[in-house]
């Protein structure tokens, strides 16, 4: 992070400089740390500029000019999410900054950092990566400006975007630049996005049309020959005419690999076109069957190559066993809150086949699961026990979803995740292997490690999956909960859970019943904490009242409620912007008015006296003043509205 550290390594210059909007934490839960360690392991000299000042290019010059390229990321989250609440107010804490201090990263960090780098070093290639760049790779709805913005690659002076989990991509890019290749020639790496000149794209389309017309003529000729006497095979099959036909067919096959989606001009003016474009690129996010996707913009053409393959078990083991220190950089005098949450946790896998509409994991890590070996996770756990501040508690084991470790589907190897159906919605697919056997073995062996007193899974459990394996649920209750288990039903109205692609409340009720029964058998008093959401597309005031009544009748009143935030590249955000389900074309109700969004959220905290006015107004608007009064069923008491 400094020239002194560069000299201490005996280096005269750096090959690659990573710029990040987060504090530099050398832990495998932080994307910049992973990319840095992967590149170092591949033999490159890597520097990191963390949370630079962005009002001038000076901070971007402090490590000198990298020999190969800059890589730019906003950090572990989109900079808008890091900086702003769902109500677009500045957050009072930044978990990825020392001391939780705010104001250390700009909004639209990737674009701003890239501009400053281009000012400092105009001729150095820039590669974008991380969540912000990954999920803004096409034209997208931007919640802050309330409009459709161009692909981040059209707005930033950069050469490539690495999308998804980028280890394989970034290493290949580095090696090809090392070999002397021009960054503008690197156009075939899966899991990357590049840009093409508009003129070149028009020429390509012209060739594609010509090839298609040639195929049509050939097909017509075949039809005309039907019924004629079949000629005997002869040596003429290798004539110039045949070769020309084969070349044309090969070209046509190549060009078919590109799918053109509605342009920026179309999607920024027509919400139906936006939904169509979303559906088209959503269906290509499969590393096995996916095709390259093209989206024209006014001054450039954005090309997304098909997704990168998953890391193998051995590759994933290698990444997570690189020599991370597990600590924040020693230059920081205050702790980084995000590290405190994950310091003694273990990542076991990547990917999630849950398919929740509001989640972008499908577009970033994918629906297929890539798991580490049990032995690799155990080796990392043993290293945790050697840390002087380890207290014997591993406080998290899992991935995006805690209990998908080791799971898979026999169709994944040949065709990837199914495009025509979801794995868990509206019910668990019978072809999916939902056995928790491997996870159970891992958890048992973790508990046996000397120095480990407890292994907790307090969050991220997919309860519909847990219901598929009672042995797992029993052991979860007996050994892996520290009093509270956080689960995310999100809502209790069927209309809303359908819009979210989440299981209905009857599934949640079966889980809650078994959870209570198993805890009783264990002699433990443990509780479920529900994460709930207001303002999601499809959710009306009536739906929120239904949820409030459900909470009133079944307990589970919680402060863990979030307002839906439209983040790029999720199904829910597409519905929020267009008012359409992108897969069915059906209209979806969307609460856009700030007052209604506030009323929806207040209904979940109906007991809070500060919310009385909003709750009363919501009940009045919905024609449900029967819920105001002193009766047991009432949500709030009747009183003067002005006092």
């Amino acid at each position: 992070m400094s020239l002194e550290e560069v000299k201490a390594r005996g280096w005269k210059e750096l090959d690659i400089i990573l710029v990040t909007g987060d504090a530099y934490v050398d832990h495998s839960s932080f994307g910049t740390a992973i990319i840095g360690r992967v590149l170092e392991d591949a033999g490159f000299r890597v520097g990191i500029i963390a949370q630079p000042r962005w009002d001038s290019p000076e901070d971007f010059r402090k490590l000198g000019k990298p020999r190969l390229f800059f890589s730019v990321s906003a950090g572990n989250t989109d900079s808008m999410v890091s900086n702003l609440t769902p109500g677009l107010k500045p957050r009072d804490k930044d978990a990825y900054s020392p001391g939780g201090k705010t104001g250390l990263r700009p909004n639209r960090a990737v674009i701003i950092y890239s501009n400053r780098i281009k000012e400092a070093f105009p001729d150095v290639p820039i590669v974008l990566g991380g969540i912000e760049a990954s999920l803004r790779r096409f034209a997208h709805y931007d919640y802050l400006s309330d409009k459709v913005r161009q692909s981040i690659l059209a707005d930033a002076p950069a050469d490539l975007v690495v999308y998804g989990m980028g280890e394989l991509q970034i290493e290949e890019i580095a090696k090809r630049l090392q070999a002397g290749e021009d960054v503008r020639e690197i156009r075939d790496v899966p899991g990357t996005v590049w840009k093409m000149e508009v003129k070149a794209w028009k020429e390509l389309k012209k060739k594609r049309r010509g090839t298609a017309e040639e195929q049509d003529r050939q097909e017509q000729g075949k039809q005309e020959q039907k019924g004629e006497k079949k000629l005997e095979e002869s040596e003429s099959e290798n004539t110039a005419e045949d070769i020309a036909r084969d070349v044309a067919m090969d070209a046509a096959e190549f060009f078919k690999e590109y799918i053109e989606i509605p342009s920026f001009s179309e999607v920024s003016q027509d919400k139906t076109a936006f939904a169509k474009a979303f559906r088209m690129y959503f269906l290509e996010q499969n590393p096995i069957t996916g095709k390259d996707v093209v989206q024209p913009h006014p001054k450039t053409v954005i090309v997304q190559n098909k997704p990168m393959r998953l890391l193998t078990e051995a590759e994933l083991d290698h990444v997570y066993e690189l020599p991370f220190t597990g600590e924040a950089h020693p230059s920081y005098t205050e702790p980084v809150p995000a590290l405190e949450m994950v310091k003694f946790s273990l990542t076991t896998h990547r990917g999630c086949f849950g398919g929740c509409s509001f989640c972008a994991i499908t577009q970033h890590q994918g629906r297929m699961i890539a798991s580490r070996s049990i032995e690799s996770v155990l080796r990392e756990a043993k290293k945790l026990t050697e840390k002087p501040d380890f207290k014997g508690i591993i406080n998290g084991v899992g991935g995006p979803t805690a209990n998908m470790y080791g799971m898979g589907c026999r169709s994944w190897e040949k065709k990837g995740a199914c495009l025509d159906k979801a794995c868990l919605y509206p019910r668990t697919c019978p072809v999916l292997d939902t056995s928790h056997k491997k996870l159970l073995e891992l958890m048992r062996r973790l508990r046996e490690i000397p120095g480990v007193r407890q292994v907790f899974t307090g969050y991220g459990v997919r309860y519909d999956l847990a219901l598929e394996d009672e042995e797992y649920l029993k052991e979860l209750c007996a050994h892996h909960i520290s009093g509270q288990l956080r689960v995310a039903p999100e809502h209790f109205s069927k209309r809303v859970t359908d819009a979210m692609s989440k299981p209905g409340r009857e599934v949640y009720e079966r889980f809650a019943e078994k959870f209570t029964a198993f805890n009783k058998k264990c002699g433990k008093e443990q509780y479920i904490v529900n994460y709930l959401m207001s303002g999601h597309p499809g959710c009306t005031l009536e739906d929120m009242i239904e949820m409030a009544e459900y909470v009133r009748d079944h307990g589970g009143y919680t402060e863990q409620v979030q307002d839906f935030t439209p983040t790029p590249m999720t199904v829910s955000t597409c519905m929020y912007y267009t008012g359409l389900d992108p897969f069915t074309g059906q209209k979806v109700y969307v609460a856009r008015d700030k007052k209604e969004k506030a009323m929806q959220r207040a209904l979940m905290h109906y007991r809070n006296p500060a919310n009385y006015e909003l709750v009363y107004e919501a009940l009045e608007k919905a024609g449900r003043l029967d819920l105001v009064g002193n009766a047991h069923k009432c949500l709030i008491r009747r009183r003067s509205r002005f006092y």
Side-chain angles (χ1 to χ4, degrees), residues 140-287:
H140 55 279
Y141 172 71
D142 180 75
Y143 184 47
L144 179 61
S145 60
D146 192 28
K147 67 179 184 180
V148 175
R149 287 182 63 97
Q150 295 189 115
S151 161
I152 201 165
L153 196 53
D155 280 342
D159 301 284
L160 291 168
V161 168
V162 169
Y163 72 90
M165 308 303 283
E167 295 96 343
L168 296 173
Q169 298 98 301
I170 203 73
E171 186 174 338
E172 181 171 348
I173 291 166
K175 287 179 176 178
R176 287 170 66 166
L177 290 173
Q178 172 97 307
E181 196 166 342
D182 191 302
V183 70
R184 291 167 295 186
E185 297 172 356
I186 302 177
R187 294 185 163 190
D188 58 345
V189 180
T192 63
V193 183
W194 50 280
K195 48 191 175 186
M196 181 191 299
E197 291 183 0
V198 174
K199 183 179 178 180
W201 171 240
K202 288 180 178 178
E203 287 296 317
L204 187 63
K205 287 183 72 175
K206 187 187 293 185
K207 289 179 182 178
R208 186 175 183 179
R209 280 197 300 271
T211 305
E213 289 168 2
E214 174 63 22
Q215 282 189 309
D216 289 342
R217 285 195 293 272
Q218 291 173 9
E219 185 61 31
Q220 185 178 353
K222 290 178 184 177
Q223 294 298 328
E224 290 172 354
Q225 291 174 15
K226 273 191 176 181
E228 295 181 5
K229 185 177 179 181
K230 185 178 179 182
L231 297 174
E232 291 184 344
E233 290 183 1
S234 68
E235 295 180 7
S236 65
E237 59 185 320
N238 288 322
T239 63
E241 182 181 351
D242 292 324
I243 292 171
R245 183 187 67 241
D246 291 342
V247 169
M249 290 178 71
D250 286 345
E253 202 58 40
F254 172 76
F255 292 132
K256 280 180 185 175
E257 293 302 304
Y258 283 92
I259 300 293
E260 183 179 359
I261 65 175
S263 68
F264 170 77
S265 299
E266 293 173 274
V267 303
S268 60
Q269 297 172 22
D270 183 344
K271 292 184 177 181
T272 303
F274 186 99
K276 178 183 178 181
F278 180 90
R279 180 178 68 253
M280 291 175 74
Y281 68 65
F282 185 93
L283 295 175
E284 300 304 328
Q285 305 310 310
N286 183 322

Side-chain angles (χ1 to χ4, degrees), residues 55-84:
D55 52 356
S56 82
E58 289 310 306
D59 265 13
F60 299 87
R61 293 191 178 110
K62 67 181 183 180
L63 293 181
K65 180 180 178 179
R67 193 171 59 87
L68 298 178
F69 65 94
F70 278 96
S71 178
V72 179
S73 165
N76 268 19
T77 58
D78 189 291
S79 58
M80 311 294 235
V81 175
S82 296
N83 294 347
L84 304 170

Side-chain angles (χ1 to χ4, degrees), residues 403-467:
N403 56 325
M404 289 185 184
Y405 174 67
M407 292 187 180
C409 175
R410 60 173 177 261
S411 71
W412 287 355
E413 188 174 343
K414 292 184 178 180
K415 65 175 186 177
C418 297
L419 300 178
D420 58 343
K421 59 184 176 181
C423 299
L424 297 180
Y425 175 82
R427 61 192 61 84
T428 303
C429 176
V431 180
L432 187 70
D433 176 11
T434 58
S435 169
H436 291 66
K437 183 178 179 181
K438 188 173 181 180
L439 177 56
L440 283 168
E441 181 185 349
L442 171 63
M443 300 299 270
R444 289 164 184 163
R445 293 181 66 181
L446 285 171
R447 297 198 304 263
E448 294 169 356
I449 294 176
V452 173
R453 294 189 290 113
Q454 292 174 305
V455 182
F456 290 136
T457 305
Y459 56 89
V461 171
R462 183 84 188 205
Y463 56 83
D464 48 351
L465 270 182
L467 281 172

Side-chain angles (χ1 to χ4, degrees), residues 285-303:
Q285 305 310 310
N286 183 322
I288 297 174
T289 64
K291 298 179 179 64
D292 297 347
V293 180
V294 178
Q295 186 176 51
H297 282 56
K299 295 182 179 180
T300 191
V301 177
I302 301 300
V303 183

Side-chain angles (χ1 to χ4, degrees), residues 9 28 64 68 189 217 243-244 396 549 573 593 627 638:
R9 297 289 293 268
S28 59
L68 298 178
V189 180
R217 285 195 293 272
I243 292 171
E549 289 188 281
T573 297
D593 181 72
L627 295 175
R638 187 175 298 280

Side-chain angles (χ1 to χ4, degrees), residues 68 103 333 365 430 565 580:
L68 298 178
T333 57
Q365 292 193 17
T565 304
L580 300 169

